[in-house]
């Protein structure tokens, strides 16, 4: 069986992205799900929003058996302070296998590497009613730092958000990283 890996999103991942959106009911916090109703729309989204950005922001496909089944990424890259925001999702059909945590470990290793993206502090936040995301963050070595009250609004409801961060100087987590395809970074 092929090893799961991270690689850049490609135009031919459109069908896989469409399938993930169609079969995963809780992606609205990560993706504009209503706008991703067709493969054509998914292809356009991949080209416009999942390609690397000039400031170092990036999205990497989590690929299992050759199919893109999730995403891990960095945004809000701040070179002055050496910080960025991390995020992730995986489709319902592949949850519970540790893919998100392993993907976050792999992404973080490169983001914090002085010979890579050379950042110092990676941050992320999850709604306090999202224990799976909290477990992913913790397994990937992101330490909980506190709760921001009513930070995010979804569906007319506001949610408290727990923030986690991982510093370059923090101990490496025991969670093994996903393989990263050559040329990805
Ligand atoms: C968050 C998400 C990536 C987790 O995916 P996953 O495949 O279940 O992740 P993992 O397999 O790596 O591990 C999830 C952990 O949460 C635990 N978990 C899952 N659902 C849980 C629940 N309802 N209550 C408590 N723990 C839960 C699992 O047991 C596992 O813990 P373990 O590693 O100690 O065994 C996935 O649910 C998702 O994509 N959600 C929608 C997008 C999202 O919320 N992204 C994060 C935004 S901050």
């Amino acid at each position: 069986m092929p090893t799961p890996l991270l690689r850049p999103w490609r135009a031919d991942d459109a069908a896989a992205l469409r399938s993930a959106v169609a079969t995963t009911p809780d992606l609205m916090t990560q993706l504009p799900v209503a706008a991703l109703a067709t493969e054509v729309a998914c292809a356009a989204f991949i080209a416009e929003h999942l390609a690397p950005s000039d400031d170092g922001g990036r999205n990497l496909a989590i690929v299992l058996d050759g199919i893109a089944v999730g995403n891990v990424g960095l945004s809000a890259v701040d070179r002055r302070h050496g910080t960025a925001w991390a995020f992730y999702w995986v489709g319902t059909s592949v949850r519970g296998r540790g893919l998100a945590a392993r993907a976050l470990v792999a992404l973080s290793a490169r983001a914090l590497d002085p010979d890579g993206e050379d950042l110092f502090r990676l941050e992320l936040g999850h709604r306090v009613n999202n224990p799976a995301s909290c477990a992913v963050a913790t397994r990937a070595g992101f330490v909980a730092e506190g709760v921001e009250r009513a930070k995010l609004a979804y569906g007319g409801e506001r949610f408290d958000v727990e923030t986690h961060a991982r510093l370059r100087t923090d101990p490496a987590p025991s969670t093994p990283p996903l393989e990263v395809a050559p040329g990805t970074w």
Side-chain angles (χ1 to χ4, degrees), residues 117-130:
E117 206 61 44
D118 195 23
L119 299 173
F120 186 80
R121 173 183 162 91
L122 304 180
E123 303 170 353
L124 65 84
H126 63 83
R127 286 166 293 139
V128 293
N129 65 347
N130 189 353

Side-chain angles (χ1 to χ4, degrees), residues 51-109:
S53 61
D54 293 341
D55 68 354
R58 63 184 67 225
N59 287 271
L60 298 179
I62 301 170
V63 178
L64 185 64
D65 297 339
I67 297 170
V69 294
N71 182 68
V72 64
L74 285 180
S75 65
V77 177
D78 182 331
R79 298 282 172 199
R80 179 178 179 200
H81 297 291
T83 59
W85 187 258
F87 48 88
Y88 39 84
W89 62 263
V90 293
T92 305
S93 64
V94 298
R95 286 190 187 171
R97 305 182 191 196
L99 288 173
R102 292 183 61 198
L104 185 58
V105 172
L107 177 89
S108 302

